[in-house]
Amino acid sequence: ITYGMTVPHKYECVCFDKKYVHIEGQPNALLLHPGNILMQSIIDELQQRYKDNLEQCTLLIDRTGQDDKVRMLYYILSDINDATTNNHGHPRLASRRLAFIEMYEDGTAVNSGIAPYLDYEPATEKEYSWVKRNLPNLWTVDDDEKQIEEYATTKLVPLHLDEVSHIRNEIVNKTKAAVENRLKREIRRQDTILAKAREDKRAGVKGAEGRISQAQNRIEELSIRLKYRLEELSRQKTLS
């Protein structure tokens, strides 16, 4: 869905921990992780199907005792794309991150980490009644959303972009070096073949003309492929 790739209809075995990928006597398992096409497709489908539910508020209680102030918990999706396109012609997704921000009544926004809701519990009926009696006028959510967007844009998204850029640059640089080494080595080999074929032609060796044409075509093909791959790798480093 997101990546422009097709999800297989059936998987023999999957797991959530890499230590279970290879187990003796068992088929190798597919590791499900953020970015995996199967997991990402499921997340996308759930978001599309339950979008309205996710946008509705609910009351949760933080029983850790670390903070007794009323706050609003928001989640945001931060997408980083590169300059290439997928099979559908859309920008290719390089990274997607789910982040959580909490907004206090005074307007202070804080990064809540990976999954703060794991420490929260649904309110009991007694607690819900108390909130309705004692906190009847919670601040306006619409105003908060503007501040949340600004906080995410100025604080969280740049960090996400920097992290992805660092990782992507390392991967692309290694790939670029390998591509250049492999293709340029083959071009040099074809240059040697071309030079030998030209010598044979001058010496009147039969079939030399055909080998010259083959080598020239191969060198041109490899040069075009090298140029295309380097341009593609450059686009992969361009993130937004």
PDB file of all heavy atoms in Angstrom, residues 171-190:
ATOM      1  N   ILE A 171      24.422   4.059   3.762  1.00  0.00           N
ATOM      2  CA  ILE A 171      24.021   2.966   2.871  1.00  0.00           C
ATOM      3  C   ILE A 171      24.301   3.325   1.416  1.00  0.00           C
ATOM      4  O   ILE A 171      24.869   2.531   0.661  1.00  0.00           O
ATOM      5  CB  ILE A 171      22.525   2.642   3.067  1.00  0.00           C
ATOM      6  CG1 ILE A 171      22.286   2.081   4.469  1.00  0.00           C
ATOM      7  CG2 ILE A 171      22.048   1.651   2.011  1.00  0.00           C
ATOM      8  CD1 ILE A 171      20.819   1.872   4.804  1.00  0.00           C
ATOM      9  N   VAL A 172      23.905   4.529   1.012  1.00  0.00           N
ATOM     10  CA  VAL A 172      24.083   4.944  -0.382  1.00  0.00           C
ATOM     11  C   VAL A 172      25.556   5.052  -0.745  1.00  0.00           C
ATOM     12  O   VAL A 172      25.962   4.645  -1.844  1.00  0.00           O
ATOM     13  CB  VAL A 172      23.362   6.284  -0.642  1.00  0.00           C
ATOM     14  CG1 VAL A 172      23.756   6.854  -2.010  1.00  0.00           C
ATOM     15  CG2 VAL A 172      21.852   6.104  -0.573  1.00  0.00           C
ATOM     16  N   ASN A 173      26.371   5.579   0.157  1.00  0.00           N
ATOM     17  CA  ASN A 173      27.800   5.710  -0.129  1.00  0.00           C
ATOM     18  C   ASN A 173      28.458   4.342  -0.327  1.00  0.00           C
ATOM     19  O   ASN A 173      29.297   4.167  -1.226  1.00  0.00           O
ATOM     20  CB  ASN A 173      28.501   6.473   0.994  1.00  0.00           C
ATOM     21  CG  ASN A 173      28.145   7.949   1.003  1.00  0.00           C
ATOM     22  OD1 ASN A 173      27.712   8.496  -0.013  1.00  0.00           O
ATOM     23  ND2 ASN A 173      28.316   8.594   2.139  1.00  0.00           N
ATOM     24  N   LYS A 174      28.076   3.378   0.485  1.00  0.00           N
ATOM     25  CA  LYS A 174      28.618   2.024   0.334  1.00  0.00           C
ATOM     26  C   LYS A 174      28.150   1.405  -0.991  1.00  0.00           C
ATOM     27  O   LYS A 174      28.925   0.764  -1.704  1.00  0.00           O
ATOM     28  CB  LYS A 174      28.189   1.144   1.507  1.00  0.00           C
ATOM     29  CG  LYS A 174      28.862   1.486   2.820  1.00  0.00           C
ATOM     30  CD  LYS A 174      28.385   0.565   3.938  1.00  0.00           C
ATOM     31  CE  LYS A 174      29.055   0.912   5.254  1.00  0.00           C
ATOM     32  NZ  LYS A 174      28.573   0.036   6.366  1.00  0.00           N
ATOM     33  N   THR A 175      26.864   1.593  -1.289  1.00  0.00           N
ATOM     34  CA  THR A 175      26.319   1.060  -2.544  1.00  0.00           C
ATOM     35  C   THR A 175      26.978   1.719  -3.751  1.00  0.00           C
ATOM     36  O   THR A 175      27.323   1.044  -4.731  1.00  0.00           O
ATOM     37  CB  THR A 175      24.797   1.279  -2.598  1.00  0.00           C
ATOM     38  OG1 THR A 175      24.185   0.689  -1.455  1.00  0.00           O
ATOM     39  CG2 THR A 175      24.205   0.665  -3.858  1.00  0.00           C
ATOM     40  N   LYS A 176      27.173   3.027  -3.667  1.00  0.00           N
ATOM     41  CA  LYS A 176      27.794   3.759  -4.765  1.00  0.00           C
ATOM     42  C   LYS A 176      29.210   3.245  -5.032  1.00  0.00           C
ATOM     43  O   LYS A 176      29.602   3.039  -6.193  1.00  0.00           O
ATOM     44  CB  LYS A 176      27.842   5.254  -4.442  1.00  0.00           C
ATOM     45  CG  LYS A 176      28.495   6.092  -5.520  1.00  0.00           C
ATOM     46  CD  LYS A 176      28.552   7.564  -5.115  1.00  0.00           C
ATOM     47  CE  LYS A 176      29.273   8.393  -6.164  1.00  0.00           C
ATOM     48  NZ  LYS A 176      29.372   9.825  -5.768  1.00  0.00           N
ATOM     49  N   ALA A 177      29.974   3.033  -3.957  1.00  0.00           N
ATOM     50  CA  ALA A 177      31.339   2.540  -4.121  1.00  0.00           C
ATOM     51  C   ALA A 177      31.341   1.163  -4.771  1.00  0.00           C
ATOM     52  O   ALA A 177      32.163   0.882  -5.652  1.00  0.00           O
ATOM     53  CB  ALA A 177      32.036   2.492  -2.758  1.00  0.00           C
ATOM     54  N   ALA A 178      30.409   0.290  -4.352  1.00  0.00           N
ATOM     55  CA  ALA A 178      30.334  -1.059  -4.922  1.00  0.00           C
ATOM     56  C   ALA A 178      29.917  -1.021  -6.385  1.00  0.00           C
ATOM     57  O   ALA A 178      30.471  -1.748  -7.218  1.00  0.00           O
ATOM     58  CB  ALA A 178      29.349  -1.903  -4.112  1.00  0.00           C
ATOM     59  N   VAL A 179      28.947  -0.164  -6.715  1.00  0.00           N
ATOM     60  CA  VAL A 179      28.471  -0.045  -8.098  1.00  0.00           C
ATOM     61  C   VAL A 179      29.584   0.473  -9.005  1.00  0.00           C
ATOM     62  O   VAL A 179      29.833  -0.066 -10.092  1.00  0.00           O
ATOM     63  CB  VAL A 179      27.246   0.887  -8.176  1.00  0.00           C
ATOM     64  CG1 VAL A 179      26.934   1.265  -9.618  1.00  0.00           C
ATOM     65  CG2 VAL A 179      26.033   0.217  -7.540  1.00  0.00           C
ATOM     66  N   GLU A 180      30.259   1.524  -8.560  1.00  0.00           N
ATOM     67  CA  GLU A 180      31.347   2.090  -9.369  1.00  0.00           C
ATOM     68  C   GLU A 180      32.464   1.074  -9.563  1.00  0.00           C
ATOM     69  O   GLU A 180      33.012   0.939 -10.672  1.00  0.00           O
ATOM     70  CB  GLU A 180      31.893   3.353  -8.707  1.00  0.00           C
ATOM     71  CG  GLU A 180      30.976   4.554  -8.824  1.00  0.00           C
ATOM     72  CD  GLU A 180      31.594   5.813  -8.276  1.00  0.00           C
ATOM     73  OE1 GLU A 180      32.173   5.758  -7.170  1.00  0.00           O
ATOM     74  OE2 GLU A 180      31.510   6.869  -8.927  1.00  0.00           O
ATOM     75  N   ASN A 181      32.812   0.372  -8.505  1.00  0.00           N
ATOM     76  CA  ASN A 181      33.894  -0.613  -8.597  1.00  0.00           C
ATOM     77  C   ASN A 181      33.542  -1.720  -9.590  1.00  0.00           C
ATOM     78  O   ASN A 181      34.357  -2.091 -10.450  1.00  0.00           O
ATOM     79  CB  ASN A 181      34.171  -1.209  -7.218  1.00  0.00           C
ATOM     80  CG  ASN A 181      35.278  -2.234  -7.252  1.00  0.00           C
ATOM     81  OD1 ASN A 181      36.422  -1.938  -7.587  1.00  0.00           O
ATOM     82  ND2 ASN A 181      34.947  -3.472  -6.899  1.00  0.00           N
ATOM     83  N   ARG A 182      32.305  -2.233  -9.497  1.00  0.00           N
ATOM     84  CA  ARG A 182      31.906  -3.353 -10.354  1.00  0.00           C
ATOM     85  C   ARG A 182      31.783  -2.937 -11.822  1.00  0.00           C
ATOM     86  O   ARG A 182      32.339  -3.586 -12.713  1.00  0.00           O
ATOM     87  CB  ARG A 182      30.581  -3.928  -9.858  1.00  0.00           C
ATOM     88  CG  ARG A 182      30.006  -5.041 -10.727  1.00  0.00           C
ATOM     89  CD  ARG A 182      28.806  -5.674 -10.050  1.00  0.00           C
ATOM     90  NE  ARG A 182      27.789  -4.703  -9.728  1.00  0.00           N
ATOM     91  CZ  ARG A 182      26.863  -4.262 -10.574  1.00  0.00           C
ATOM     92  NH1 ARG A 182      26.857  -4.705 -11.824  1.00  0.00           N
ATOM     93  NH2 ARG A 182      25.949  -3.391 -10.187  1.00  0.00           N
ATOM     94  N   LEU A 183      31.084  -1.837 -12.079  1.00  0.00           N
ATOM     95  CA  LEU A 183      30.840  -1.430 -13.464  1.00  0.00           C
ATOM     96  C   LEU A 183      32.093  -0.864 -14.136  1.00  0.00           C
ATOM     97  O   LEU A 183      32.347  -1.134 -15.315  1.00  0.00           O
ATOM     98  CB  LEU A 183      29.706  -0.407 -13.522  1.00  0.00           C
ATOM     99  CG  LEU A 183      28.314  -0.952 -13.156  1.00  0.00           C
ATOM    100  CD1 LEU A 183      27.264   0.144 -13.232  1.00  0.00           C
ATOM    101  CD2 LEU A 183      27.927  -2.109 -14.068  1.00  0.00           C
ATOM    102  N   LYS A 184      32.864  -0.108 -13.382  1.00  0.00           N
ATOM    103  CA  LYS A 184      34.089   0.433 -13.981  1.00  0.00           C
ATOM    104  C   LYS A 184      35.105  -0.671 -14.262  1.00  0.00           C
ATOM    105  O   LYS A 184      35.854  -0.601 -15.246  1.00  0.00           O
ATOM    106  CB  LYS A 184      34.699   1.497 -13.067  1.00  0.00           C
ATOM    107  CG  LYS A 184      33.920   2.801 -13.053  1.00  0.00           C
ATOM    108  CD  LYS A 184      34.588   3.847 -12.181  1.00  0.00           C
ATOM    109  CE  LYS A 184      33.833   5.181 -12.242  1.00  0.00           C
ATOM    110  NZ  LYS A 184      34.492   6.220 -11.403  1.00  0.00           N
ATOM    111  N   ARG A 185      35.122  -1.693 -13.408  1.00  0.00           N
ATOM    112  CA  ARG A 185      36.015  -2.829 -13.655  1.00  0.00           C
ATOM    113  C   ARG A 185      35.615  -3.549 -14.951  1.00  0.00           C
ATOM    114  O   ARG A 185      36.473  -3.929 -15.756  1.00  0.00           O
ATOM    115  CB  ARG A 185      35.977  -3.796 -12.478  1.00  0.00           C
ATOM    116  CG  ARG A 185      36.949  -4.977 -12.639  1.00  0.00           C
ATOM    117  CD  ARG A 185      36.999  -5.839 -11.395  1.00  0.00           C
ATOM    118  NE  ARG A 185      35.734  -6.476 -11.131  1.00  0.00           N
ATOM    119  CZ  ARG A 185      34.977  -6.231 -10.064  1.00  0.00           C
ATOM    120  NH1 ARG A 185      35.363  -5.327  -9.171  1.00  0.00           N
ATOM    121  NH2 ARG A 185      33.841  -6.868  -9.887  1.00  0.00           N
ATOM    122  N   GLU A 186      34.301  -3.697 -15.146  1.00  0.00           N
ATOM    123  CA  GLU A 186      33.826  -4.353 -16.365  1.00  0.00           C
ATOM    124  C   GLU A 186      34.082  -3.487 -17.600  1.00  0.00           C
ATOM    125  O   GLU A 186      34.400  -4.005 -18.676  1.00  0.00           O
ATOM    126  CB  GLU A 186      32.335  -4.657 -16.238  1.00  0.00           C
ATOM    127  CG  GLU A 186      31.709  -5.347 -17.441  1.00  0.00           C
ATOM    128  CD  GLU A 186      32.336  -6.698 -17.761  1.00  0.00           C
ATOM    129  OE1 GLU A 186      32.981  -7.279 -16.859  1.00  0.00           O
ATOM    130  OE2 GLU A 186      32.169  -7.158 -18.903  1.00  0.00           O
ATOM    131  N   ILE A 187      33.970  -2.160 -17.443  1.00  0.00           N
ATOM    132  CA  ILE A 187      34.268  -1.259 -18.565  1.00  0.00           C
ATOM    133  C   ILE A 187      35.743  -1.364 -18.948  1.00  0.00           C
ATOM    134  O   ILE A 187      36.086  -1.406 -20.147  1.00  0.00           O
ATOM    135  CB  ILE A 187      33.901   0.196 -18.201  1.00  0.00           C
ATOM    136  CG1 ILE A 187      32.369   0.355 -18.134  1.00  0.00           C
ATOM    137  CG2 ILE A 187      34.483   1.175 -19.230  1.00  0.00           C
ATOM    138  CD1 ILE A 187      31.915   1.717 -17.640  1.00  0.00           C
ATOM    139  N   ARG A 188      36.615  -1.428 -17.953  1.00  0.00           N
ATOM    140  CA  ARG A 188      38.046  -1.573 -18.241  1.00  0.00           C
ATOM    141  C   ARG A 188      38.324  -2.898 -18.946  1.00  0.00           C
ATOM    142  O   ARG A 188      39.156  -2.979 -19.850  1.00  0.00           O
ATOM    143  CB  ARG A 188      38.864  -1.467 -16.949  1.00  0.00           C
ATOM    144  CG  ARG A 188      38.914  -0.071 -16.351  1.00  0.00           C
ATOM    145  CD  ARG A 188      39.978   0.029 -15.277  1.00  0.00           C
ATOM    146  NE  ARG A 188      39.696  -0.845 -14.152  1.00  0.00           N
ATOM    147  CZ  ARG A 188      38.998  -0.475 -13.078  1.00  0.00           C
ATOM    148  NH1 ARG A 188      38.490   0.758 -13.016  1.00  0.00           N
ATOM    149  NH2 ARG A 188      38.780  -1.312 -12.077  1.00  0.00           N
ATOM    150  N   ARG A 189      37.609  -3.942 -18.532  1.00  0.00           N
ATOM    151  CA  ARG A 189      37.804  -5.245 -19.174  1.00  0.00           C
ATOM    152  C   ARG A 189      37.361  -5.192 -20.639  1.00  0.00           C
ATOM    153  O   ARG A 189      38.024  -5.742 -21.522  1.00  0.00           O
ATOM    154  CB  ARG A 189      37.013  -6.324 -18.430  1.00  0.00           C
ATOM    155  CG  ARG A 189      37.348  -7.742 -18.852  1.00  0.00           C
ATOM    156  CD  ARG A 189      36.600  -8.756 -18.007  1.00  0.00           C
ATOM    157  NE  ARG A 189      35.211  -8.837 -18.415  1.00  0.00           N
ATOM    158  CZ  ARG A 189      34.772  -9.630 -19.406  1.00  0.00           C
ATOM    159  NH1 ARG A 189      35.623 -10.362 -20.116  1.00  0.00           N
ATOM    160  NH2 ARG A 189      33.487  -9.672 -19.716  1.00  0.00           N
ATOM    161  N   GLN A 190      36.256  -4.520 -20.898  1.00  0.00           N
ATOM    162  CA  GLN A 190      35.784  -4.380 -22.269  1.00  0.00           C
ATOM    163  C   GLN A 190      36.721  -3.499 -23.093  1.00  0.00           C
ATOM    164  O   GLN A 190      36.898  -3.712 -24.305  1.00  0.00           O
ATOM    165  CB  GLN A 190      34.369  -3.799 -22.282  1.00  0.00           C
ATOM    166  CG  GLN A 190      33.299  -4.732 -21.736  1.00  0.00           C
ATOM    167  CD  GLN A 190      33.151  -6.001 -22.547  1.00  0.00           C
ATOM    168  OE1 GLN A 190      33.307  -5.999 -23.770  1.00  0.00           O
ATOM    169  NE2 GLN A 190      32.871  -7.105 -21.861  1.00  0.00           N
TER     170      GLN A 190
END
